[in-house]
């Protein structure tokens, strides 16, 4: 069998196909890495935006809660500063009770007069 002598400087079809395959494979790998890098970068930016929005929302919620707390404290201070009106007993009712006690004989005329004067503020 006779072999053909190899020519230097020129590749055969098989060499050209192999070179093309290597170049295409390398280009695909590089392209995939670039795409992955961009996707990861976008995902990181989205995560950062979500984190910032969550922090903003949380801060707004805290401010609202603080405002509500301040309002409740102001209402409590106002309620504590305003004295509750004393429940004034009905004077007529007390006079009627004193009269009933006198009529029943539980109070003497002097005791009745003294209790009546105290009730009327005389």
């Amino acid at each position: 069998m006779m072999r053909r002598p190899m020519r230097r400087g020129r590749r055969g079809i098989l060499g050209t196909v192999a070179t093309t395959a290597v170049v295409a494979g390398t280009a695909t790998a590089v392209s995939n890495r670039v795409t992955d890098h961009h996707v990861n970068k976008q995902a990181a930016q989205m995560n950062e935006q979500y984190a910032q929005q969550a922090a903003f929302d949380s801060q707004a919620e805290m401010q609202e809660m603080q405002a509500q707390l301040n309002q409740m404290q102001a209402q409590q201070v106002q309620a504590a500063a305003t004295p509750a009106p004393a429940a004034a007993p009905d004077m007529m009712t007390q006079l009627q009770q004193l009269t009933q006690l006198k009529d029943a004989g539980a109070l003497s005329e002097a005791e009745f007069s003294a209790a009546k004067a105290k009730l009327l503020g005389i």
Side-chain angles (χ1 to χ4, degrees):
M1 259 189 152
M2 217 168 154
R3 285 189 175 183
R4 283 198 227 166
M6 290 281 286
R7 295 185 197 163
R8 289 189 175 226
R10 293 184 74 188
R11 294 184 199 146
I13 289 184
L14 192 58
T16 303
V17 170
T19 301
T20 302
V22 169
V23 169
T26 302
T28 301
V30 169
S31 175
N32 288 343
R33 288 194 69 206
V34 169
T35 302
D36 288 346
H37 175 73
H38 287 295
V39 168
N40 289 339
K41 188 174 180 180
Q42 287 176 345
Q45 288 174 346
M46 291 288 284
N47 286 340
E48 179 66 23
Q49 288 175 350
Y50 288 139
Q52 288 175 354
Q53 184 64 38
F56 179 76
D57 291 344
S58 178
Q59 184 178 10
E61 187 176 325
M62 288 294 290
Q63 288 173 347
E64 183 179 333
M65 290 173 67
Q66 184 65 41
Q68 290 175 354
L69 178 64
N70 291 342
Q71 183 181 14
M72 288 183 352
Q73 287 175 342
Q75 289 173 350
Q76 288 176 348
V77 167
Q78 184 181 12
T82 306
D90 186 15
M91 194 177 297
M92 288 301 291
T93 305
Q94 289 182 345
L95 285 172
Q96 287 174 352
Q97 289 174 350
L98 285 174
T99 304
Q100 288 174 356
L101 287 172
K102 180 185 149 209
D103 291 342
L107 292 177
S108 67
E109 185 66 39
E111 291 172 331
F112 174 74
S113 297
K116 184 171 94 172
K118 182 178 177 184
L119 180 66
L120 296 174
I122 302 175

